[in-house]
Amino acid sequence: MSIQKEIKWKRLPLSTNYAVAYAVKDLDVDVVAAYPITPQTTVVEKISEFIANGELDAEMIHVESEHSALSATVGASAAGARAFTATASQGLELMHEILHIASGLRMPVVMSVATRALSAPISIWNDYSDLMNARDASWVTLIVASAQEAYDTIVQAYKIAESPDVMLPVMVAYDGYIMSHTYEPVLVPEDPSIVLEFAPKNYNRLRLDPDRPMTFGTIANPDWYYEFKYQQVVAMKNAYRKAIEVDKEFGKVFGRSYGILETCCLDDADVVVLTYGGLYGTFLEAIRKMRENGVKVGAARLRLWRPFPAEDVVRELGGAKMLVVVDRAISYGAQISGPVAMEVMNAFYGDPDAPSIMSVVVGIGQRTVTSYTVREIVDYAFRVLERGRVPRETLYWGVRGVKYE
Amino acid sequence: MSSQAKAKKRYFKTIPQIPRIELFAPGHGLCAGCTAGTIVRHLLKAAGPNTILVEATGCVEVSTTLYPYTSWRIPWLHLAFENASAAASGVEAAIKVLKRKGVLDPNKPINIVVLGGDGGTYDIGFQSLSGMLERGHNVMYVLYDNEAYMNTGIQRSGGTPKYAWTTTTPAGKVWPGNLRNKKPIAEIVAAHRIPYVATANPAYPLDMLNKFKRGLEVEGPSFVHVLQPCPTGWRFDPRYGIKIARLATETGMWINWELDHGEFDVTVPVKRRKPVREYLKMQGRFKHLTDEQIREIQRMVDEEVERINKMVGREVIGPVEA
Ligand SMILES: Cc1ncc(C[n+]2csc(CCOP(=O)(O)OP(=O)(O)O)c2C)c(N)n1
Ligand code: SF4
Ligand SMILES: [Mg+2]
């Protein structure tokens, strides 16, 4: 397509939170309902500014809780509006009940999540415990790694959510603080109409309409409930194809696309490290340096978390001898407690050629992870490969009193 | 408010004036004799077809929307138990902005109504209700009050009256039934200083219809609190629902009032009250009450009547008949 060349860009210094707000503005979102929580708050502050200045014509509902934020967002969506909310941590937990209702009612709402650790003890800092707790809520979930990608992915998210064969809510997540509050140059189209052209609104979907009265949110007995839920399974499958398709289409129009599984330096790599979110940048830096020194190591970033792209993981990463999955959340009491590690093991289950898979947890409550940490983990992985005994339990890297030799 | 404006808001003066339109379809699964059906049917008559109703989880919700059937001939939404007001806030905001953007016809009025039970209003839904009122959404909230969590099997709520038996306040050697008085929910709502708050009773359908109509007419939030006798939970023969509702007002246990832009009035005056015993004795949930407990309830009602009469400035509710 030739449109790409015609787009005039503004290059703005934006935090990821602000990039999300700009996308919401350019998408002409109709209703925003949100409640403050660190580190999400500046998304909503920026959107409020846009509305206050007349740059965005939307209704802002200053709700009294996150539970109400998502409820109002779903209500607005049911009435036909394009609706948005944003949250983090305790807020996402408080929404939990309505997460399932939003997807069960097939409402195409979009929510950004500046991921943050969960209480107790209270921590305002980053990890992915909040997002991973929402894993089974039937939301399409994308995890982005830069402010630009956040802008682009919010745009993609509405197109995925509102497509008739998906009709599911979408979450776009990123590292709280590490990304939400750091500034990067972001390209934003000077004329946002291109964004709406790419992701046009569909007011003709089923909605609360006195001219076509319909009942939303019924009760279903055992003879029907299962069919509702199975339709969500199918919709999730469709969302997988849709996410790939929309990202490609986005690339054609805007000149940027990300795929659903980003990879680097996989050729002849013995060890591949898979992670997600902004931390990938640190991993890339470390792994590129190690490559220069002849270490056969590669990196991968999971961008689509739900639906989980199992086939892509197997196809792309199956050639390594060892796969190290680095999580920033803990499923307490599980033998392998990294949520993404579990999923990766599941993807390779029964595959006789599967690589060894090692689960590592880092960055809990934003415990610092540097390129030095990455090197340590990779070195350890190579030692394990030599010894031939892969740990059957998750490694808790960087916690006091625990050392892996 | 001028007396003219007041006179104007009596929209329905006789039974034949009640709209014939039936937007609440028959075939629902409410218990036989459930007065919630009566209330909802009249509510939809007052509101008409250009209405979106948002419902909290509870008896009415589960009994009217068993997939693939529905009793609702208007657009209807249910999300959860505690958030009907928040969901309705979203619906109202959406309608507003879509009208502004020309997606919906800006000249076509659409009523937005919330329907919630006492548990969904006094207790778990109170926060979202308060938020909706404070933000000034143009929504009418209708509370159908059967004085307990009926859908889950008659558990006590903040709307359960003193000494009533429920499954979580059984009367035993130690407990006399429910230990606390009903929370004055309509007055708490009124403290939000919204344009219109009223209490109603299905035994007085014209009064109830007029209140629904007025609630829909005012700009901003309104609240109508309706007493809803429940044969299953109150333990009475299903044929007596309306009779018990009427006794509630005749004994002064339930006073039909309204607060319209700050002006308070009792809309169903009672010249001579019947003793509360007549209301209580018809219901199994009060059958364990001692004479002393009944006297205590009578004293509480007497005091409440005195307070209301003072607020109105004349005797709208008379003394107990000899
Ligand atoms: C969060 C949550 N807690 C509890 C319930 C269980 N529940 C469903 S309906 C109900 C009782 C409703 O009581 P009320 O609001 O008085 O309505 P009624 O059934 O009496 O009409 C309860 C406790 C629920 N659905 N959701
Ligand atoms: S339990 Fe009571 S309120 Fe519920 S349907 Fe039966 S009679 Fe009506
Ligand atoms: Mg009840």
Side-chain angles (χ1 to χ4, degrees):
Chain A
M1 259 196 229
S2 57
I3 311 170
Q4 185 194 327
K5 291 187 199 93
E6 292 164 19
I7 301 175
K8 283 214 180 78
W9 299 99
K10 283 184 289 194
R11 197 161 181 269
L12 303 175
L14 299 181
S15 67
T16 302
N17 278 354
Y18 282 178
V20 167
Y22 271 81
V24 166
K25 171 174 75 70
D26 293 350
L27 282 153
D28 190 39
V29 163
D30 301 308
V31 175
V32 179
Y35 192 81
I37 184 165
T38 305
Q40 152 268 25
T41 317
T42 57
V43 178
V44 191
E45 289 174 355
K46 198 68 187 172
I47 294 173
S48 304
E49 248 175 75
F50 288 143
I51 299 174
N53 296 337
E55 289 173 77
L56 170 64
D57 182 6
E59 281 296 309
M60 167 72 79
I61 312 178
H62 299 100
V63 281
E64 75 301 327
S65 77
E66 285 89 352
H67 195 283
S68 286
L70 189 54
S71 302
T73 306
V74 170
S77 185
R82 181 173 268 185
F84 176 82
T85 186
T87 193
S89 188
Q90 309 307 123
L92 187 57
E93 291 296 303
L94 191 55
M95 284 180 180
H96 196 90
E97 181 195 28
I98 311 305
L99 291 179
H100 290 265
I101 291 170
S103 53
L105 288 177
R106 311 296 294 277
M107 290 299 162
V109 303
V110 171
M111 166 158 71
S112 68
V113 181
T115 58
R116 170 182 147 179
L118 294 177
S119 291
I122 195 164
S123 162
I124 58 163
W125 305 101
N126 169 252
D127 67 33
Y128 274 73
S129 309
D130 51 359
L131 192 79
M132 294 303 169
N133 262 283
R135 182 189 64 183
D136 296 338
S138 183
W139 281 58
V140 176
T141 307
L142 291 136
I143 307 175
V144 302
S146 72
Q148 181 73 62
E149 191 187 337
Y151 178 94
D152 297 346
T153 304
I154 293 283
V155 176
Q156 294 183 13
Y158 276 102
K159 203 166 166 86
I160 298 167
E162 291 169 3
S163 71
D165 58 344
V166 176
M167 290 302 283
L168 283 173
V170 179
M171 258 184 246
V172 177
Y174 45 91
D175 303 13
Y177 278 118
I178 302 169
M179 292 171 65
S180 66
H181 284 65
T182 51
Y183 285 71
E184 299 170 56
V186 176
L187 296 175
V188 174
E190 241 164 54
D191 176 6
S193 62
I194 182 77
V195 172
L196 269 184
E197 240 170 79
F198 177 79
K201 295 187 194 174
N202 175 13
Y203 288 120
N204 270 333
R205 60 189 171 82
L206 300 183
R207 58 182 165 82
L208 297 165
D209 178 2
D211 294 332
R212 281 187 304 176
M214 248 176 282
T215 298
F216 288 72
T218 62
I219 176 165
N221 273 351
D223 54 346
W224 278 111
Y225 181 84
Y226 199 3
E227 279 68 30
F228 278 95
K229 293 292 128 178
Y230 183 70
Q231 285 182 19
Q232 284 173 237
V233 173
V234 174
M236 266 289 174
K237 288 198 171 136
N238 296 343
Y240 167 78
R241 279 197 310 278
K242 200 75 198 175
I244 296 172
E245 187 187 304
V246 167
D247 181 61
K248 279 200 183 122
E249 223 179 298
F250 188 92
K252 280 191 201 146
V253 176
F254 295 91
R256 288 181 301 272
S257 64
Y258 304 89
I260 52 173
L261 182 71
E262 186 183 334
T263 59
C264 169
C265 331
L266 292 188
D267 293 344
D268 75 353
D270 288 331
V271 170
V272 171
V273 186
L274 171 70
T275 192
Y276 42 87
L279 196 56
Y280 186 62
T282 309
F283 276 68
L284 266 189
E285 188 191 297
I287 278 154
R288 288 208 176 109
K289 276 226 177 78
M290 293 165 95
R291 270 279 166 184
E292 283 167 21
N293 297 329
V295 183
K296 288 185 173 176
V297 62
R301 171 172 77 91
L302 185 73
R303 178 166 174 267
L304 182 64
W305 163 230
R306 276 291 182 269
F308 187 75
E311 280 177 27
D312 302 67
V313 167
V314 170
R315 190 180 62 240
E316 300 287 324
L317 312 180
K321 287 187 183 146
M322 178 180 282
L323 211 48
V324 182
V325 185
V326 180
D327 271 291
R328 280 182 278 169
I330 301 170
S331 174
Y332 295 95
Q335 168 111 357
I336 294 298
S337 62
V340 173
M342 285 185 203
E343 211 74 37
V344 170
M345 287 184 178
N346 198 25
F348 281 105
Y349 178 76
D351 182 344
D353 306 321
S356 302
I357 299 166
M358 193 164 87
S359 163
V360 179
V361 162
V362 301
I364 297 300
Q366 210 171 325
R367 178 60 49 87
T368 306
V369 179
T370 65
S371 54
Y372 180 75
T373 322
V374 180
R375 269 215 312 279
E376 275 187 334
I377 293 172
V378 172
D379 288 348
Y380 183 77
F382 275 100
R383 283 205 297 284
V384 166
L385 259 188
E386 267 167 38
R387 284 185 226 145
R389 272 199 323 276
V390 182
R392 308 283 300 157
E393 287 187 353
T394 293
L395 311 183
Y396 298 90
W397 210 272
V399 69
R400 274 186 191 78
V402 177
K403 263 251 170 290
Y404 300 101
E405 302 295 340
Chain B
M1 180 171 280
S2 71
S3 55
Q4 212 179 8
K6 226 174 193 176
K8 236 188 355 201
K9 67 194 186 190
R10 300 289 162 237
Y11 315 87
F12 307 104
K13 293 198 186 81
T14 62
I15 296 290
Q17 286 176 343
I18 298 177
R20 286 175 185 253
I21 190 166
E22 296 293 354
L23 295 166
F24 188 61
H28 56 70
L30 294 163
C31 303
C34 176
T35 55
T38 318
I39 294 165
V40 173
R41 181 171 162 236
H42 284 84
L43 168 62
L44 298 195
K45 282 173 180 288
N50 284 332
T51 300
I52 296 172
L53 192 133
V54 183
E55 173 100 45
T57 312
C59 272
V60 173
E61 171 259 332
V62 300
S63 306
T64 58
T65 65
L66 182 61
Y67 186 83
Y69 306 105
T70 181
S71 302
W72 302 88
R73 292 176 175 145
I74 56 164
W76 183 96
L77 175 70
H78 161 254
L79 299 193
F81 191 15
E82 66 286 61
N83 65 350
S85 299
S89 300
V91 171
E92 186 251 16
I95 300 293
K96 205 152 108 189
V97 67
L98 294 183
K99 280 184 173 181
R100 196 161 69 225
K101 291 183 177 180
V103 179
L104 297 178
D105 179 357
N107 300 315
K108 181 176 164 179
I110 298 178
N111 300 314
I112 298 161
V113 177
V114 179
L115 187 60
D118 47 293
T121 308
Y122 285 76
D123 298 345
I124 197 167
F126 183 69
Q127 172 180 317
S128 72
L129 168 63
S130 178
M132 180 186 87
L133 300 175
E134 167 272 313
R135 291 188 301 269
H137 294 276
N138 200 3
V139 174
M140 176 166 78
Y141 193 109
V142 175
L143 156 58
Y144 69 96
D145 189 353
N146 50 35
E147 305 191 320
Y149 294 104
M150 294 309 176
N151 186 46
T152 35
I154 326 169
Q155 293 83 25
R156 176 218 190 260
S157 81
T160 304
K162 194 162 184 183
Y163 297 138
W165 163 93
T166 69
T167 54
T168 51
T169 55
K173 278 194 190 127
V174 179
W175 283 357
N178 185 42
L179 294 161
R180 310 284 307 163
N181 279 319
K182 254 173 112 68
K183 169 161 134 184
I185 188 74
E187 286 173 66
I188 295 168
V189 165
H192 290 73
R193 304 203 176 155
I194 59 171
Y196 187 74
V197 182
T199 61
N201 177 334
Y204 302 85
L206 289 171
D207 182 66
M208 182 173 75
L209 275 161
N210 281 318
K211 285 168 174 171
F212 290 149
K213 194 85 184 162
R214 179 67 185 150
L216 290 167
E217 183 187 66
V218 298
E219 250 328 293
S222 56
F223 186 88
V224 184
H225 180 187
V226 190
L227 181 71
Q228 186 249 303
C230 158
T232 307
W234 294 10
R235 299 292 194 236
F236 64 79
D237 187 314
R239 81 182 96 161
Y240 293 134
I242 295 299
K243 186 173 183 171
I244 289 175
R246 190 174 299 112
L247 270 171
T249 293
E250 287 171 346
T251 57
M253 295 270 318
W254 182 270
I255 296 169
N256 286 324
W257 54 259
E258 72 181 355
L259 183 67
D260 192 336
H261 292 86
E263 205 164 296
F264 183 81
D265 202 7
V266 169
T267 56
V268 180
V270 180
K271 261 212 179 83
R272 284 263 180 278
R273 265 186 292 147
K274 291 184 172 156
V276 294
R277 184 184 292 273
E278 290 194 23
Y279 174 73
L280 301 174
K281 75 174 184 207
M282 286 196 73
Q283 305 171 47
R285 62 173 173 159
F286 293 119
K287 75 166 191 283
H288 60 281
L289 264 58
T290 63
D291 285 346
E292 177 44 37
Q293 285 164 341
I294 293 173
R295 277 197 295 275
E296 183 192 334
I297 293 173
Q298 184 66 62
R299 277 197 303 276
M300 278 174 357
V301 169
D302 293 347
E303 276 168 28
E304 178 63 7
V305 164
E306 199 185 322
R307 189 179 73 95
I308 293 284
N309 282 339
K310 264 193 195 141
M311 273 165 71
V312 180
R314 67 199 140 84
E315 191 181 272
V316 275
I317 312 282
V320 179
E321 61 197 13

